[in-house]
Amino acid sequence: MDFRTSLNTIGDAEFEFIKNLVYKQAGIFLAPHKKIMVQSRLNARLRTLGIESFENYVAKLKLDPKFATDEMQELINRITTNKTDFFRENHHFEFLKNQYFPALEQAAASGGPKTLRIWCSASSTGEEPYSIAITVYDYFNTKGWNCKIYASDIDTQVIATAKKGLYRDERLEPVSEALKAKHFIKTVEKDHVFYEAKPHLKALIDFRQINLLHFPFPITDKLDLIFCRNVVIYFDKQTQKTLFQNFEVSLKPKGYLILGHSETMFGISESFKFLGHTIYQKKD
């Protein structure tokens, strides 16, 4: 049988090694039921490398330091999940424009700074940071504010996609026609409709690769707000606790942290006040 077209089966020992390696490097906990997912996602990688089995792949990771160093990012890229949409969990964007941004504007009117720094810490293919950028631009563009959005992910491939800001039309279904016309350039190529984020959106966003386990984070600005949605569900409790501590240090006094709908700080961190809808504010 030609190994280039067949599927390899991952053994328990090989899965355990990869599970521990991914946890050490990225903080992602792979439960036993993720074994088939790991097998499926890495089979294509083995074919690309010309490696005949998971036993040989793991042996090479163990015995060849240069290969292990070069391969680690490729491994993480294939293991990470990148489910995202424009304006996913839209109540968070409603909170920004209807509550948070007006409060910032009121504070600035009383002598506060006209600056805004947001970090989208798991930006995936870019739908989330562009959704934030649309919300920021539409509120602050004509008001003389200095706004910047940091957008990061551990996966280098999705960051490259996000920088391009180019999406098939079905990806923009949650975006209204008015917002599409205002913020995207429509093109047709080979009978497919694409939308590319306009320069004014791209100018707001600083894309970069960041591993959330590596602290201090490579962002020197103190942050007003951090999006970290649908990420910590992949971390164990101790990793979550450490991450929340590091987010607290990175935020300005009374800064905000927004998690995903299935995530919570309950029993993990006492440094934030819960405001509802997985929105948290740093305590004094």
Side-chain angles (χ1 to χ4, degrees), residues 2 15 20 48 52 59 100 133 136 150 171 198 205 208 228 230 233 275:
D2 187 344
F15 173 72
N20 291 336
T48 298
E52 300 182 22
Y100 182 54
V136 168
Y150 295 99
R171 299 298 303 156
K198 288 185 177 179
I205 307 173
R208 54 180 69 183
C228 187
N230 308 302
I233 53 173
L275 303 180

Side-chain angles (χ1 to χ4, degrees), residues 3 17 20 41 48 61 67 78 86 95 99 114 135 147 154 156 170 184 194 197 227 241 254 280:
F3 75 84
F17 176 83
N20 291 336
R41 293 188 181 181
T48 298
L61 286 170
F67 173 80
R78 281 156 179 77
F86 280 94
F95 165 75
Q99 298 180 53
K114 286 182 136 184
T135 310
C147 301
I154 194 172
T156 54
E170 61 265 24
F184 294 86
F194 292 88
F227 275 77
K241 183 177 181 180
K254 296 187 177 181
Y280 294 82

Side-chain angles (χ1 to χ4, degrees), residues 198-253:
K198 288 185 177 179
H200 67 261
L201 286 189
K202 292 182 179 181
L204 279 173
I205 307 173
D206 179 355
F207 285 105
R208 54 180 69 183
Q209 194 236 7
I210 295 178
N211 186 330
L212 294 179
L213 295 192
H214 295 170
F215 185 80
F217 303 123
I219 297 175
T220 56
D221 291 334
K222 281 290 188 178
L223 299 158
D224 296 284
L225 186 146
I226 297 173
F227 275 77
C228 187
R229 304 193 303 174
N230 308 302
V231 177
V232 300
I233 53 173
Y234 299 106
F235 298 158
D236 63 11
K237 287 290 194 293
Q238 183 54 51
T239 305
Q240 291 177 8
K241 183 177 181 180
T242 301
L243 180 62
F244 292 148
Q245 289 172 345
N246 294 338
F247 280 158
E248 179 193 0
V249 172
S250 302
L251 284 165
K252 292 179 181 178

Side-chain angles (χ1 to χ4, degrees), residues 182-199:
K182 183 176 183 180
H183 297 293
F184 294 86
I185 301 168
K186 181 179 179 180
T187 59
V188 179
E189 182 179 338
K190 296 181 180 178
D191 297 325
H192 292 300
V193 177
F194 292 88
Y195 287 90
E196 182 176 0
K198 288 185 177 179

